[in-house]
Amino acid sequence: MESHIEHRVRQLQQQLTDHNYHYHVLDDPKISDAEYDRLMQELIHLETAHPELKTPDSPTQRVGGAPLPAFDHAEHTLPMLSLDNAFSDQDILEFHARMVKNIGSSDILYTAEPKLDGVAIELRYENGVLVQAVTRGDGLVGEVVTDNVRTIRSVPLGVRRDMLPCPGLLEVRGEVYISRAGFQELNRQRENRGEPVFANPRNAAAGSLRQLDSTITASRPLDLFVYGRGQVDGLVFDSQAGFLDALTALGFPVNPLVKKQISIEQALAFYRELIEIRPDLPYEIDGMVIKVDRVAFQEMLGEKIKSPRWAVACKFAAVEEITRITDIVVQVGRTGTLTPVAVLEPVQVGGVTVSRATLHNMDEIRKKDIRIGDNALVTRAGDVIPKVVSILPADRTGRERKFDMPSLCPVCRSQVQRLEGESAVKCINAACPAQRKERIRHFASKKGFDIEGLGKKLVEQLVDEGLLTSFADLFTLNQAQLIPLERMAEKSAHNLVTAIDKARRISMRRFIFALGIDHTGEHAARLLARRFDTLEDLMAASREDLEAIHGLGTITADAIAGFFANPDNRALITRLTRSGVHIVNSLSEPAGPKDHVFAGKTVVLTGTLAAMTRGEAKKRLLDLGAKVTGSVSKNTDFLVAGTDAGSKLAKAMALNVPILDEDRFMTLLES
Ligand code: IVH
């Protein structure tokens, strides 16, 4: 009996660890969130009844534990060094010249990695099990943040043992970071709760990691990439590339953009490529790190006090420009929030023309004393969204004008309200066309119903023409209504109706996100989709049921309960389901012969495949109904990356296009 339970516990631990790895490291889930949760509940239940079966690397051990009074300190086995900086191609070539001179050969290969802007961490695995996580600290002694780091889903609690023998000791170093999306969501939640927002993702990551209460850390969207080593016993590698490959095999998240064993010229090309794709990456980077690839060379070169001689951080030039604020206008968002936006004299910032920058709210405008007519320092700080850093008071002429928020909504002219305890000013007229447009746009967006071709302009046109009053009208639109519209032809009308039709089948998570409930972004939608199998269950949930969901704050729970309690919203949902919107659990549905995963998908092939030529691969895909194109765009559904994949892989990464390696591709072809 006992051994039967033990068997089941071990099986669940193994399965959940594996699912976790597929979800958080490979970004390629194998089962639905609901199924994952069921397995997790079963394991928690069994481990509670039989605590002796709990292991430190059990997937149940990520939830965070009792708060600590203070952090312990621990000495690093080997110091955690910093890096020297290079700021230009010339600096990089000088670094290379030093390497050539010291190694005595010009035949040097490098491994180049994006430099993430987060918090450096060292993870210690003894016999494959995570036993300690320590921050960099002063390089010699850091803070022990093991409980916190265990809550980060992409951190393996134990190494994978299926490809390599388990090393006896493995100290892995890497960067804990927060993605741009995670950062925005986190700040939005903080703003809603009246808490101070984080200035940038780096601060957010550092603040989240340095919590004495690990349950707080568990609620933060922290992530990890690994790139370095401390002391290691029982792992064979003779190059940085080999070490990274070993880490990948052991289940660690290694940045897929890394370029292994390249020449200095290729490293320079990669530097330029990173500068270009930087704004589109899902996380912030502040440079590239070049490392002499061969460990034997690294050892020859040695270290200085603070940094190794064999590596250099190639930083990006700060992107800040001066321009004039010609006006401040007010935008009305999906939930009615009025946002002041600076209209700028167009200026190039890091290769992108910037003509607007959000000023967030009146508090921000007062704090920075921003006036219309001011000259301002504008940055993109590695961010897609331009920001006004500060104004230049010395440039003032006295003709600048102060700005104040309007008391009427600039779109519907109804009285605005400043909600208690919030810095935001809101238009509370639910019929306000600006809100309507934003709600429909959000509904149709990539993370929602993903209706191809239904962008901002078209939504505006459809609302202005009276064809859409809410998103529920989308599914009853027909070609005859669309064709008479300006800039609309038969073909485009047909395409739109087809795209809308295609979007009818949707996952629970996307459906919830698309509704645009206050405070309910991607993360909350995911939590809800995990907890509730059907829409009916969700709609029937009480405020208490919602509040009981771990990770969902009370404000969000209130907003969701309030949304579904509103008869207008219930009517909208009924209209959606009546017009054929169907919530599917895409992950657990088997693919029939006609709806093969590749059917109707746009696929790009790159690199070399071992099993077939690209031509053969293309033919197989076409036979399955896929479209095969030559370049990666946001419309690409999959990138198949063989070995030596180049810029297409980088682009796909940047655009968050799912990437299939050859194994995965072959499995899907055969499925
Ligand atoms: S290697 C001995 N690789 O940059 C090598 N560092 O400015 C030391 N960083 O403290 C670090 N990405 O926090 C390395 N791919 C990468 C990195 C990286 C980010 C950070 C790290 C380090 C700092 C040095």
Side-chain angles (χ1 to χ4, degrees):
M1 180 62 195
E2 194 57 37
S3 78
H4 167 70
I5 292 173
E6 173 160 11
H7 176 73
R8 180 64 184 155
V9 167
R10 299 291 172 246
Q11 187 183 36
L12 285 166
Q13 289 174 342
Q14 181 56 48
Q15 285 177 353
L16 284 160
T17 300
D18 209 51
H19 290 313
N20 202 48
Y21 169 71
H22 276 275
Y23 191 110
H24 294 282
V25 178
L26 302 183
D27 214 358
D28 179 24
K30 288 269 169 288
I31 56 170
S32 71
D33 289 357
E35 178 66 10
Y36 179 90
D37 253 31
R38 265 194 290 279
L39 295 175
M40 182 61 98
Q41 288 310 321
E42 184 185 348
L43 180 59
I44 291 173
H45 176 78
L46 288 175
E47 286 185 352
T48 314
H50 306 273
E52 72 282 1
L53 297 179
K54 219 183 265 183
T55 53
D57 57 352
S58 166
T60 56
Q61 302 304 297
R62 289 189 184 271
V63 283
L68 302 172
F71 289 116
D72 279 342
H73 288 85
E75 200 172 321
H76 296 292
T77 325
L78 299 173
M80 277 180 87
L81 300 178
S82 182
L83 291 171
D84 288 346
N85 290 327
F87 293 97
S88 62
D89 282 15
Q90 196 190 336
D91 289 353
I92 297 172
L93 289 170
E94 279 170 16
F95 163 78
H96 176 62
R98 276 199 302 281
M99 298 303 106
V100 170
K101 184 161 164 254
N102 288 333
I103 294 170
S105 155
S106 57
D107 194 15
I108 304 173
L109 292 181
Y110 297 97
T111 285
E113 305 161 3
K115 184 173 181 305
L116 261 85
D117 203 8
V119 184
I121 192 92
E122 179 169 80
L123 311 172
R124 185 178 165 94
Y125 292 81
E126 289 174 6
N127 298 316
V129 178
L130 174 67
V131 294
Q132 195 177 55
V134 185
T135 60
R136 177 165 181 274
D138 64 2
L140 300 175
V141 174
E143 284 174 327
V144 179
V145 288
T146 317
D147 290 353
N148 291 345
V149 166
R150 299 177 71 87
T151 68
I152 304 172
R153 304 282 155 157
S154 42
V155 170
L157 298 181
V159 304
R160 291 180 71 85
R161 293 151 194 267
D162 49 347
M163 316 247 302
L164 283 178
C166 169
L169 174 65
L170 174 62
E171 289 181 345
V172 187
R173 294 170 178 183
E175 205 80 358
V176 169
Y177 70 95
I178 288 186
S179 69
R180 293 181 206 275
F183 168 70
Q184 272 161 17
E185 173 73 12
L186 178 59
N187 264 357
R188 211 179 48 80
Q189 289 170 6
R190 290 176 71 83
E191 206 159 351
N192 286 333
R193 286 192 227 108
E195 293 165 6
V197 296
F198 289 112
N200 53 50
R202 208 206 75 79
N203 288 2
S208 301
L209 201 58
R210 287 197 77 262
Q211 293 287 335
L212 290 167
D213 180 350
S214 51
T215 60
I216 298 182
T217 309
S219 74
R220 303 284 174 80
L222 291 168
D223 220 322
L224 173 79
F225 277 129
V226 294
Y227 50 70
R229 57 189 195 267
Q231 190 157 319
V232 181
D233 290 329
L235 188 67
V236 189
F237 57 91
D238 58 10
S239 64
Q240 171 70 4
F243 177 64
L244 294 179
D245 287 343
L247 290 181
T248 303
L250 292 168
F252 289 92
V254 172
N255 191 312
L257 293 178
V258 168
K259 290 261 190 271
K260 294 169 191 163
Q261 303 181 330
I262 55 174
S263 67
I264 197 68
E265 289 78 20
Q266 288 169 313
L268 286 170
F270 185 42
Y271 184 50
R272 281 188 285 274
E273 184 181 326
L274 283 176
I275 291 174
E276 194 162 305
I277 64 171
R278 179 183 182 200
D280 305 320
L281 288 175
Y283 41 77
E284 287 197 356
I285 59 175
D286 61 347
M288 171 184 85
V289 183
I290 307 184
K291 300 173 180 174
V292 170
D293 186 59
R294 273 181 66 172
V295 173
F297 287 164
Q298 294 179 357
E299 284 167 356
M300 249 171 79
L301 291 156
E303 286 152 7
K304 298 184 285 181
I305 297 173
K306 289 229 162 122
S307 55
R309 287 203 183 80
W310 45 267
V312 68
C314 314
K315 301 294 264 295
F316 299 138
V319 276
E320 270 184 358
E321 298 295 337
I322 295 171
T323 191
R324 208 172 81 93
I325 299 175
T326 55
D327 199 1
I328 296 178
V329 296
V330 174
Q331 267 177 4
V332 186
R334 172 168 59 85
T335 59
T337 305
L338 269 54
T339 309
V341 177
V343 180
L344 308 170
E345 236 158 52
V347 61
Q348 288 272 322
V349 185
V352 175
T353 307
V354 170
S355 53
R356 282 173 162 245
T358 172
L359 301 174
H360 302 291
N361 52 45
M362 247 349 262
D363 292 352
E364 170 92 356
I365 293 179
R366 281 196 204 101
K367 199 173 76 195
K368 294 184 176 164
D369 188 24
I370 298 171
R371 302 183 195 175
I372 299 167
D374 269 335
N375 272 345
L377 205 55
V378 179
T379 179
R380 296 197 310 132
D383 214 323
V384 208
I385 305 155
K387 278 187 209 142
V388 170
V389 182
S390 63
I391 55 118
L392 305 175
D395 287 2
R396 283 210 169 137
T397 61
R399 274 180 276 130
E400 294 75 18
R401 279 184 295 128
K402 282 202 176 176
F403 168 84
D404 213 347
M405 285 301 260
S407 54
L408 298 181
C409 168
V411 177
C412 71
R413 305 318 257 162
S414 61
Q415 195 76 31
V416 299
Q417 280 195 8
R418 178 180 272 251
L419 300 184
E420 216 187 340
E422 289 191 24
S423 51
V425 175
K426 280 192 160 193
C427 165
I428 51 161
N429 168 19
C432 170
Q435 290 181 49
R436 232 183 238 167
K437 287 172 186 170
E438 281 304 308
R439 277 199 297 269
I440 297 171
R441 208 166 61 84
H442 176 86
F443 183 85
S445 68
K446 193 120 190 110
K447 292 171 186 164
F449 271 72
D450 193 14
I451 301 176
E452 213 179 311
L454 188 58
K456 190 179 161 96
K457 281 249 162 62
L458 188 51
V459 169
E460 271 183 9
Q461 191 181 9
L462 294 172
V463 172
D464 291 341
E465 296 282 343
L467 288 179
L468 294 182
T469 50
S470 84
F471 47 65
D473 296 336
L474 276 171
F475 293 98
T476 49
L477 274 182
N478 59 46
Q479 241 166 286
Q481 291 171 294
L482 293 169
I483 292 171
L485 296 183
E486 221 176 295
R487 293 191 306 271
M488 192 50 93
E490 195 158 332
K491 176 115 173 64
S492 37
H494 172 79
N495 288 349
L496 181 61
V497 173
T498 314
I500 293 173
D501 191 45
K502 214 175 84 189
R504 279 198 165 86
R505 285 163 60 87
I506 187 168
S507 71
M508 181 76 164
R509 176 167 58 86
R510 282 165 170 272
F511 183 89
I512 298 169
F513 174 84
L515 293 176
I517 305 169
D518 272 8
H519 310 300
T520 309
E522 275 179 281
H523 180 63
R526 184 186 296 277
L527 293 175
L528 291 167
R530 270 195 194 170
R531 169 70 178 74
F532 301 104
D533 279 340
T534 67
L535 189 56
E536 291 70 34
D537 291 347
L538 169 60
M539 290 171 74
S542 68
R543 199 167 297 240
E544 291 69 37
D545 292 338
L546 294 165
E547 277 176 7
I549 299 176
H550 185 75
L552 199 76
T554 48
I555 296 180
T556 312
D558 277 359
I560 296 161
F563 181 90
F564 289 114
N566 181 333
D568 292 343
N569 294 334
R570 297 183 84 92
L572 272 181
I573 290 172
T574 310
R575 276 189 62 202
L576 286 176
T577 48
R578 289 226 176 109
S579 50
V581 169
H582 179 52
I583 297 178
V584 288
N585 208 329
S586 54
L587 291 166
S588 54
E589 286 212 344
K594 280 219 191 63
D595 48 8
H596 190 274
V597 268
F598 288 130
K601 291 290 170 5
T602 304
V603 183
V604 176
L605 296 161
T606 186
T608 316
L609 298 173
M612 57 178 85
T613 64
R614 284 231 288 270
E616 283 162 341
K618 178 167 177 180
K619 178 156 185 324
R620 295 281 299 268
L621 284 166
L622 294 176
D623 288 347
L624 290 167
K627 201 167 116 192
V628 179
T629 62
S631 63
V632 175
S633 76
K634 66 178 192 330
N635 298 323
T636 308
D637 293 299
F638 295 106
L639 176 80
V640 177
T643 48
D644 296 326
S647 59
K648 285 182 195 170
L649 179 58
K651 181 104 188 270
M653 268 293 298
L655 295 174
N656 255 338
V657 170
I659 295 161
L660 305 175
D661 63 12
E662 177 158 3
D663 275 1
R664 186 86 189 110
F665 172 59
M666 294 305 288
T667 314
L668 289 178
L669 267 190
E670 304 305 335
S671 71

